Amino acid sequence: MKKIKIGVLVSGRGSNLQAVIDNIEQGRLSAEVAVVISDQSDAFALERARTHNIAAVHVSGRGYKGRREEYDNLLVQELRKYGVDLVILAGFMRIITGVLVQAFPNRIMNIHPALLPSFPGLHVQQAAIEHGVKFSGCTVHFVDEGMDTGPIIIQAVVPVLDGDSPDTLAARILKQEHKIFSRAIQLFAEGRLKVEGRRVVVSGSAAASDDFLINP
Ligand code: GAR
């Protein structure tokens, strides 16, 4: 199978990037990380890329306040330079514009640490605890021009436990993020994702199970 080229946008520590790299190196993902781009020069994710001989590019966001489209144009140029087929947002903490979305229609995926459409935005583990939900989780979705609103590809569910802090819940969710992001990328690489309106239809997936979870 042809390996797809991924461009990864990051702002921080890059544990999701690391999981993707590890899955590629272990032959579980038919993809190649062509470039890692960060808006933060000191993002540890850039360091991880360099360690694996992956192009690591800093595109500073400074001075682009109110000029987000211009910034996104720089990103598009970089991503095109590396011949990227799929863009993944792996903890990229900037709001992106139509410039980027239209350059890669249904070819940008984001990972979000909540079960969308609940709890979009920031500080979502704390929001889930405060709301009192019994389950939370993570979502990989295609990116559209809204904030955390695009068609959902895959979700994983974890319980919210009595005594959870935002950090303990985030850690439980992160473990699942590391699995489902690669899974979504592999489905894309295999050409199995079809966007029909808001729904993402996954061809050839196993029959759905009607197992359920109860908490407590
Ligand atoms: C992850 O939990 C990801 O879901 C979240 O940032 C973290 C990045 O961690 N993304 C968002 O909140 C996007 N709105 P990482 O740098 O270790 O992959």
Side-chain angles (χ1 to χ4, degrees):
M1 188 192 304
K2 178 186 159 271
K3 282 190 182 173
I4 58 160
K5 287 191 177 181
I6 318 178
V8 187
L9 303 188
V10 291
S11 296
R13 71 189 161 187
S15 73
N16 274 289
L17 165 69
Q18 188 67 54
V20 168
I21 293 172
D22 292 346
N23 280 322
I24 290 173
E25 290 185 350
Q26 288 156 24
R28 285 198 288 261
L29 198 43
S30 351
E32 168 199 336
V33 179
V35 62
V36 174
I37 303 174
S38 180
D39 57 332
Q40 306 294 326
S41 61
D42 58 354
F44 186 59
L46 289 176
E47 203 52 49
R48 295 184 195 262
R50 288 185 203 109
T51 304
H52 291 266
N53 294 316
I54 295 166
V57 179
H58 172 223
V59 180
S60 173
R62 284 218 186 129
Y64 286 94
K65 212 170 169 208
R67 292 158 57 217
R68 290 185 195 281
E69 281 83 3
E70 284 174 56
Y71 180 81
D72 282 2
N73 246 318
L74 298 178
L75 295 180
V76 172
Q77 279 172 32
E78 282 299 324
L79 292 163
R80 291 233 162 100
K81 197 155 97 190
Y82 288 90
V84 161
D85 302 302
L86 175 71
V87 180
I88 70 171
L89 310 184
F92 188 58
M93 299 318 233
R94 284 181 69 90
I95 294 172
I96 66 166
T97 70
V99 168
L100 185 57
V101 176
Q102 284 154 30
F104 293 92
N106 286 337
R107 288 193 292 139
I108 308 175
M109 288 181 186
N110 179 46
I111 188 142
H112 182 77
L115 291 175
L116 291 171
S118 291
F119 309 118
L122 294 174
H123 311 299
V124 297
Q125 295 90 350
Q126 187 175 343
I129 290 169
E130 281 171 5
H131 193 91
V133 292
K134 297 299 185 195
F135 289 101
S136 188
C138 45
T139 304
V140 179
H141 63 92
F142 283 119
V143 173
D144 64 9
E145 293 188 28
M147 161 103 124
D148 299 327
T149 53
I152 292 171
I153 301 164
I154 185 168
Q155 294 185 304
V157 177
V158 304
V160 180
L161 303 177
D162 291 347
D164 260 339
S165 67
D167 285 348
T168 59
L169 178 58
R172 191 174 308 121
I173 292 171
L174 192 64
K175 262 196 203 169
Q176 302 308 315
E177 294 186 37
H178 294 165
K179 293 183 202 158
I180 67 169
F181 217 171
S182 290
R183 212 173 142 131
I185 295 166
Q186 183 60 19
L187 289 170
F188 181 93
E190 291 173 7
R192 290 169 60 191
L193 300 179
K194 197 161 141 223
V195 180
E196 292 179 359
R198 278 216 48 82
R199 300 180 61 228
V200 180
V201 179
V202 183
S203 62
S205 53
S209 133
D210 60 2
D211 277 357
F212 53 85
L213 302 170
I214 298 175
N215 175 34

